[in-house]
Amino acid sequence: MGVERTLSIIKPDATTRNLTGQINAKFEAAGLRIVAQKRIQLTPAQAGQFYAVHAERPFYGELCDFMASAPVVTQVLEGEGAIAKNREVMGATNPADAAPGTIRAEFAQSVGENSVHGSDAPETAAEEIAFFFSGLELVG
């Protein structure tokens, strides 16, 4: 599998409850290194551009509004099989289906307010990382 990089976003429902450190501790405990990180406030337009793949879905507008409702923490995680490892640590999108000990099982408030986002494939990870970070910001 090899060393990979993946994008992680700690979403507004988690940042407003000061969960950033607890969530990052779970990533690090799983062997993922944070090689870039910043706290930003997305505009609805920026959220819409990032989530454009979901534009035709009924939840798109609500998702964009939510992601622009408070600051998020965007970060790049690196490690052996980072994409799959990150998704494992996050847990299922629906917190009711998430395994005990995962981020979503412990912190998500609902399917929509599920505390974290993670890339789902190498191609997606590359696109998502480039959306938020320049090469100079990746310092792993």
Side-chain angles (χ1 to χ4, degrees):
M1 191 171 290
V3 174
E4 296 176 326
R5 288 183 171 168
T6 188
L7 183 81
S8 169
I9 301 175
I10 301 176
K11 294 181 178 182
D13 63 295
T15 63
T16 58
R17 292 181 290 144
N18 285 334
L19 298 174
T20 302
Q22 292 177 68
I23 290 171
N24 283 342
K26 286 189 172 289
F27 293 137
E28 291 177 332
L32 295 167
R33 292 182 338 118
I34 300 167
V35 298
Q37 182 180 67
K38 57 187 164 186
R39 184 180 183 95
I40 61 173
Q41 176 77 48
L42 292 170
T43 65
Q46 289 167 327
Q49 183 181 358
F50 181 76
Y51 285 108
V53 67
H54 298 304
E56 300 303 318
R57 298 208 171 153
F59 60 82
Y60 175 72
E62 185 178 333
L63 173 62
C64 294
D65 290 344
F66 167 63
M67 291 300 289
S69 69
V72 298
V73 174
T74 60
Q75 52 196 10
V76 178
L77 306 177
E78 181 181 80
E80 185 75 26
I83 295 165
K85 178 61 69 177
N86 180 38
R87 297 187 71 75
E88 177 184 321
V89 173
M90 289 191 308
T93 302
N94 183 341
D97 299 331
T102 62
I103 292 167
R104 289 175 173 151
E106 290 189 20
F107 303 124
Q109 297 179 308
S110 67
V111 173
E113 294 185 6
N114 61 21
S115 299
V116 285
H117 164 91
S119 304
D120 62 2
E123 301 78 25
T124 310
E127 292 172 15
E128 291 181 345
I129 289 167
F131 186 90
F132 289 107
F133 295 95
S134 75
L136 293 174
E137 296 174 295
L138 304 174
V139 294

